[in-house]
Amino acid sequence: MLFQVTRICFQRLRKPVSTLSIPGAVRNTSRDSGSGRNGPEEPGVALVSHADYPRYMEERGLGGGVYKGPSGAVSSSSLKHKPNVGYRLGRRKALFEKRKRISDYALVMGMFGIIVMVMENELSSAGVYTKASFYSMALKTLISVSTVILLGLIVAYHALEVQLFMIDNCADDWRIAMTWQRSCQISMELGICAVHPIPGQYYFLWTTKLANKNGDIGSKWVPYDVTLSLPMFLRLYLICRVMLLHSKLFTDASSRSIGALNRINFNTRFVLKTLMTICPGTVLLVFMVSLWIIASWTLRQCERFHDEEHANLLNAMWLIAITFLSVGFGDIVPNTYCGRGIAVSTGIMGAGCTALLVAVVSRKLELTRAEKHVHNFMMDTQLTKRLKNAAANVLRETWLIYKHTRLVKRVNPGRVRTHQRKFLLAIYALRKVKMDQRKLMDNANTITDMAKTQNTVYEIVSDMSSRQDALEDRLTTVEDKLSALQDQIELLPDLIASRIAVQAEKMEQRRNFLHPESAAGLQQARSVPPACPWPGSTLPPLNKTIQAGPVTTQS
């Protein structure tokens, strides 16, 4: 049966859930359902409200083409499509739920095998039947069947783990996920869960030194069921896996998203840490009681064949209790190496649990922040009153010393010494009160350091933000002024040219006003055409032109 389950799981793994092979598997399922076979409901349907919603995008829309077979021929049954994100999420959610169910079934099968094993050993040790009886064979056969089912469930669990890895990483081959760490983990789990009492009657000779009987050597024929039954308690590791898969931190999408953003790996160790933070007392109590019962029963199984004292379960529980608490009276000691190994393991776990218990109790006894504030306020009030009383005592004794030394006719030395002694005691009391106040302030500072630091940092950040805003405003103003200055500089040549033209025009108007004759001649000269600047066919004589000039100037 185990080999059939393994073969079915690896047949599923040969069809990897990837971007190329998912549609083919789904199409085969839909074709089987269309031909009259009722196939399972597709996980992608759970994410859409309508069953006819297209769960896959065509490869044409994604830039792909038609898939060709090995022979190069194109067939309609071999067309490949790529799944959309909805299908992948639906498939992943379905695998998560299936993995959780398989883990629950594996824990049930493991606990069932342990319970049947304990019943078979107790009934045989009580003399109800022998190892060769039919009842013993039936119970061992039941243990073997549950073990085979458990091994198949473990293989199926890891097959689902591989499929989830392929979906998360878009892998096409399941062999990519089979690293040597995963292979070692699967082999170790199968080896741990495969150990169980086999049907039949098999004995071996167990020789040991009896410490309770003056060191005599004792040999007993012991059934192999003792060595094959004790490792079955290692199946209890499945409890941690079930706790992880059923934890709200693991199943909640928001928690997983926050953990992924903060690079937190949600594993069994993280879940146990959260449980120790939320309910440490309950976790320690359950662990210690379970360890006490399991270690007592296993120690009894190892020692009951050689020593009659260990045949009583209460004696074994007493030995485990004094070993766990590191007391060790020595009235009952283990004889076999199996019992001694269990005692050493119990002592190590007891030391660890004691340290955890001390940490939990100290944390429970510690005052909360509000209680510390109230306590510090009350202590500060009391110390203030004591300080005032001490200061008043110092002033009173000072006045009394002055009175008995300066305001009396006859000085009494005894009374003066008494008041001086009281004066010194009052000063010492005043100093002590001030020292207590300093210590209280130091303790209060340790409480409020975080709040003060937070307020200081907030003020610094606010100041920097306001300064940055002011600097940005100033930079914006400077940019606006530079832009306006640039515009004015660009307009400066035109403005200078216009001003020069206006000034030239004013100068010309002024000259025309002061010398109207020259302005008229100049106007007449400007009115002559440029082809013939002088009237007539010939130019005038040069001397006449020169003579006419001074005359015009004189007039």
Side-chain angles (χ1 to χ4, degrees):
M1 181 177 181
L2 174 62
F3 298 104
Q4 292 180 355
V5 172
T6 306
R7 183 172 58 83
I8 293 173
C9 293
F10 280 98
Q11 282 179 355
R12 291 184 178 181
L13 289 176
R14 290 193 185 97
K15 297 179 180 180
V17 183
S18 64
T19 56
L20 292 177
S21 59
I22 291 178
V26 175
R27 187 165 52 252
N28 294 333
T29 306
S30 61
R31 185 171 61 251
D32 294 340
S33 61
S35 60
R37 293 191 295 267
N38 295 327
E41 184 180 358
E42 294 301 328
V45 181
L47 295 179
V48 293
S49 59
H50 199 275
D52 295 333
Y53 186 84
R55 293 190 297 272
Y56 314 106
M57 292 185 296
E58 295 183 357
E59 196 175 43
R60 182 185 308 166
L62 296 175
V66 180
Y67 175 80
K68 295 184 180 181
S71 61
V74 179
S75 60
S76 60
S77 61
S78 63
L79 291 176
K80 297 293 181 180
H81 301 280
K82 292 186 178 180
N84 55 10
V85 180
Y87 176 83
R88 290 182 59 196
L89 292 176
R91 178 68 174 168
R92 189 170 183 271
K93 183 178 180 181
L95 290 177
F96 262 96
E97 295 296 330
K98 191 173 181 180
R99 183 180 62 171
K100 186 189 298 184
R101 291 197 301 270
I102 288 179
S103 179
D104 296 342
Y105 296 154
L107 178 61
V108 170
M109 288 292 105
M111 295 299 295
F112 178 76
I114 292 174
I115 292 173
V116 176
M117 178 269 296
V118 172
M119 290 175 56
E120 196 276 332
N121 280 282
E122 290 297 327
L123 292 175
S124 62
S125 63
V128 177
Y129 56 77
T130 61
K131 293 292 184 180
S133 63
F134 170 76
Y135 299 103
S136 177
M137 294 288 292
L139 291 177
K140 290 181 181 179
T141 303
L142 192 60
I143 295 173
S144 300
V145 172
S146 65
T147 302
V148 171
I149 297 174
L150 175 61
L151 295 178
L153 291 173
I154 290 175
V155 172
Y157 175 83
H158 285 285
L160 293 175
E161 286 278 350
V162 172
Q163 291 185 10
L164 285 171
F165 178 84
M166 293 168 64
I167 289 178
D168 293 338
N169 297 276
C170 295
D172 295 331
D173 194 352
W174 63 272
R175 287 183 288 269
I176 298 176
M178 295 301 296
T179 59
W180 67 271
Q181 293 92 344
R182 191 184 296 273
S183 301
C184 293
Q185 181 183 358
I186 295 174
S187 302
M188 186 181 297
E189 290 190 17
L190 291 176
I192 290 174
C193 296
V195 179
H196 69 284
I198 57 177
Q201 186 178 6
Y202 306 99
Y203 290 88
F204 69 98
L205 184 63
W206 195 348
T207 303
T208 185
K209 185 178 180 180
L210 302 177
N212 292 342
K213 297 181 180 179
N214 299 324
D216 297 337
I217 303 299
S219 298
K220 296 288 183 179
W221 287 97
V222 180
Y224 276 99
D225 296 345
V226 175
T227 58
L228 296 177
S229 298
L230 300 184
M232 289 187 67
F233 286 100
L234 297 176
R235 300 181 180 183
L236 296 177
Y237 79 93
L238 296 171
I239 297 177
C240 299
R241 178 177 293 172
V242 172
M243 288 172 56
L244 173 63
L245 296 179
H246 285 272
S247 176
K248 295 296 183 180
L249 297 174
F250 187 80
T251 56
D252 191 11
S254 60
S255 300
R256 292 180 63 86
S257 301
I258 295 174
L261 292 175
N262 292 276
R263 297 179 182 179
I264 300 298
N265 187 15
F266 285 89
N267 49 16
T268 306
R269 183 174 59 182
F270 179 73
V271 173
L272 291 178
K273 286 182 179 180
T274 55
L275 289 177
M276 283 296 295
T277 304
I278 297 172
C279 49
T282 305
V283 174
L284 284 177
L285 180 62
V286 171
F287 177 75
M288 289 190 293
V289 171
S290 303
L291 177 64
W292 184 35
I293 295 174
I294 294 173
S296 301
W297 191 86
T298 53
L299 180 65
R300 176 173 173 269
Q301 286 295 110
C302 291
E303 299 290 332
R304 67 185 179 88
F305 293 98
H306 297 87
D307 195 350
E308 293 79 8
E309 292 182 358
H310 293 285
N312 188 1
L313 183 61
L314 296 178
N315 291 335
M317 295 178 71
W318 165 254
L319 176 59
I320 293 297
I322 62 176
T323 306
F324 185 85
L325 298 175
S326 302
V327 178
F329 289 108
D331 52 349
I332 302 177
V333 294
N335 297 309
T336 62
Y337 290 108
C338 175
R340 292 173 183 174
I342 294 173
V344 170
S345 302
T346 304
I348 295 173
M349 292 183 182
C353 291
T354 303
L356 291 176
L357 185 62
V358 170
V360 170
V361 171
S362 62
R363 188 169 61 183
K364 292 294 183 182
L365 293 178
E366 186 179 0
L367 294 176
T368 61
R369 180 175 296 180
E371 292 173 348
K372 287 181 180 179
H373 283 299
V374 174
H375 171 71
N376 290 330
F377 178 77
M378 294 172 60
M379 292 298 297
D380 184 55
T381 304
Q382 294 179 3
L383 289 175
T384 304
K385 292 180 180 179
R386 289 173 54 189
L387 181 64
K388 291 179 180 180
N389 292 331
N393 291 332
V394 171
L395 294 177
R396 184 188 63 181
E397 298 301 329
T398 304
W399 163 249
L400 291 176
I401 292 173
Y402 177 77
K403 175 183 176 182
H404 289 287
T405 55
R406 298 299 179 87
L407 301 179
V408 294
K409 296 181 179 179
R410 185 177 180 181
V411 178
N412 189 354
R415 183 172 294 181
V416 172
R417 285 193 297 271
T418 301
H419 290 295
Q420 288 178 349
R421 190 181 301 112
K422 290 182 180 180
F423 174 73
L424 293 176
L425 292 176
I427 292 176
Y428 292 153
L430 182 64
R431 291 177 179 177
K432 186 176 183 303
V433 172
K434 288 184 177 180
M435 184 62 68
D436 293 339
Q437 279 188 336
R438 290 195 190 99
K439 292 180 180 179
L440 182 62
M441 290 300 296
D442 292 337
N443 295 330
N445 289 335
T446 57
I447 299 172
T448 59
D449 274 344
M450 184 61 67
K452 288 183 178 179
T453 305
Q454 184 177 2
N455 293 332
T456 305
V457 171
Y458 178 75
E459 291 176 358
I460 293 173
V461 171
S462 300
D463 188 16
M464 291 178 62
S465 178
S466 60
R467 291 185 179 183
Q468 184 179 1
D469 295 338
L471 182 60
E472 289 180 356
D473 295 338
R474 291 182 179 180
L475 289 176
T476 304
T477 306
V478 170
E479 289 178 357
D480 295 339
K481 290 182 179 181
L482 289 176
S483 299
L485 183 61
Q486 183 179 2
D487 295 338
Q488 293 178 2
I489 291 174
E490 290 176 355
L491 296 175
L492 185 60
D494 298 336
L495 181 61
I496 293 174
S498 62
R499 290 297 180 183
I500 291 175
V502 170
Q503 188 68 22
E505 185 177 357
K506 287 182 178 180
M507 291 296 293
E508 186 177 0
Q509 290 178 0
R510 183 178 181 183
R511 187 171 57 251
N512 293 337
F513 178 77
L514 294 177
H515 306 284
E517 293 82 3
S518 60
L522 183 61
Q523 185 69 25
Q524 184 179 1
R526 289 180 180 178
S527 62
V528 177
C532 184
W534 300 99
S537 57
T538 60
L539 293 173
L542 182 61
N543 54 3
K544 293 183 177 180
T545 306
I546 295 174
Q547 293 177 359
V551 175
T552 306
T553 305
Q554 292 177 0
S555 61

